Amino acid sequence: EAQVTQNPRYLITVTGKKLTVTCSQNMNHEYMSWYRQDPGLGLRQIYYSMNVEVTDKGDVPEGYKVSRKEKRNFPLILESPSPNQTSLYFCASKSPRVDTQYFGPGTRLTVL
Amino acid sequence: AQSVTQLDSHVSVSEGTPVLLRCNYSSSYSPSLFWYVQHPNKGLQLLLKYTSAATLVKGINGFEAEFKKSETSFHLTKPSAHMSDAAEYFCVVSVVMTRFQKLVFGTGTRLLVSP
């Protein structure tokens, strides 16, 4: 089954404790992206990657890092999480040949 | 700059009555437009998309949307609401920048369906 998976689905952590949210897709897509969803703001892009070793900032990249060492994986790294990063995070992927992005199930992160 | 505005944060309907979720877009280019749905505690599912082939676009679960360039609108409709339609709906415009596609999301419309 074609899908985008994220782990963990739920995470509660404390300020300053480094964490990584993993994202993996099995569709051989070149393009992957991370979004955060906050009430009243819709989804905003954090980082995106056009292919292996090619990443760039989206609209709200502060406090986040990403890496793209393999085509299927695009982890989101929070080196020193803060409470304002409490949010619902979505990973997405797409092929450059089509318009449609495929979204993962989301990761709900709470930073205390 | 490309953007979308969802005109209602909440819409309430009764089961069996029509649904209208409004979206206006701003784009310098001929846009690609999408509607996504998010059910409670679920991920995002593509409902339908417009990519200039036809102005009336049919999607899943009986939803459709009409692209109106003169009004810069892409409203989502359904003739008869079902309880299972209760969810949050996002209007999205695709921004083509050099070699990649960026999605710009509206702020969402929560659809409430009462019996």
Side-chain angles (χ1 to χ4, degrees):
Chain A
E1 179 189 354
Q3 59 182 351
V4 179
T5 57
Q6 295 178 227
N7 283 292
R9 294 289 313 279
Y10 302 89
L11 179 61
I12 300 175
T13 189
V14 296
T15 299
K17 185 176 181 181
K18 180 179 178 180
L19 67 92
T20 299
V21 183
T22 65
C23 173
S24 182
Q25 49 93 5
N26 63 0
M27 295 169 278
N28 203 35
H29 285 165
E30 289 86 349
Y31 179 74
M32 299 185 74
S33 184
W34 275 103
Y35 296 84
R36 61 177 288 172
Q37 181 183 8
D38 301 292
L41 296 177
L43 277 76
R44 295 175 293 167
Q45 191 181 55
I46 303 170
Y47 268 94
Y48 64 91
S49 168
M50 288 188 282
N51 215 325
V52 175
E53 302 291 3
V54 182
T55 63
D56 208 345
K57 297 177 181 178
D59 296 318
V60 288
E62 295 77 20
Y64 304 94
K65 286 176 56 178
V66 292
S67 69
R68 188 89 182 276
K69 293 183 170 32
E70 304 167 283
K71 197 172 187 180
R72 64 182 292 128
N73 296 323
F74 190 44
L76 179 69
I77 303 155
L78 285 72
E79 295 269 4
S80 183
S82 63
N84 64 12
Q85 293 178 296
T86 292
S87 187
L88 180 59
Y89 291 86
F90 287 100
C91 180
S93 74
K94 73 178 283 292
S95 162
R97 291 169 289 281
V98 297
D99 276 330
T100 304
Q101 290 201 21
Y102 294 86
F103 285 83
T107 295
R108 186 167 294 281
L109 172 65
T110 301
V111 184
L112 301 174
Chain B
Q2 282 81 353
S3 66
V4 289
T5 301
Q6 293 184 244
L7 299 168
D8 307 291
S9 59
H10 293 80
V11 169
S12 295
V13 300
S14 299
E15 191 174 22
T17 64
V19 175
L20 170 64
L21 305 183
R22 298 182 295 164
C23 173
N24 287 348
Y25 71 90
S26 170
S27 176
S28 305
Y29 310 99
S30 182
S32 291
L33 292 159
F34 308 79
W35 276 97
Y36 280 85
V37 61
Q38 183 181 28
H39 286 94
N41 299 314
K42 299 287 187 183
L44 290 152
Q45 181 183 20
L46 179 67
L47 267 182
L48 51 82
K49 64 180 179 181
Y50 165 78
T51 54
S52 77
T55 56
L56 183 62
V57 182
K58 294 189 184 298
I60 61 172
N61 300 334
F63 284 94
E64 62 181 37
E66 186 172 8
F67 174 74
K68 292 187 176 180
K69 187 175 181 179
S70 61
E71 299 176 9
T72 62
S73 68
F74 189 57
H75 301 335
L76 182 71
T77 60
K78 183 174 180 177
S80 176
H82 192 273
M83 295 296 290
S84 61
D85 294 328
E88 188 152 24
Y89 293 79
F90 292 96
C91 182
V92 183
V93 63
S94 171
V95 178
V96 178
M97 301 171 62
T98 58
R99 292 175 293 150
F100 76 97
Q101 174 210 53
K102 174 181 174 179
L103 296 183
V104 177
F105 282 74
T107 52
T109 298
R110 186 166 297 278
L111 177 65
L112 306 170
V113 183
S114 56

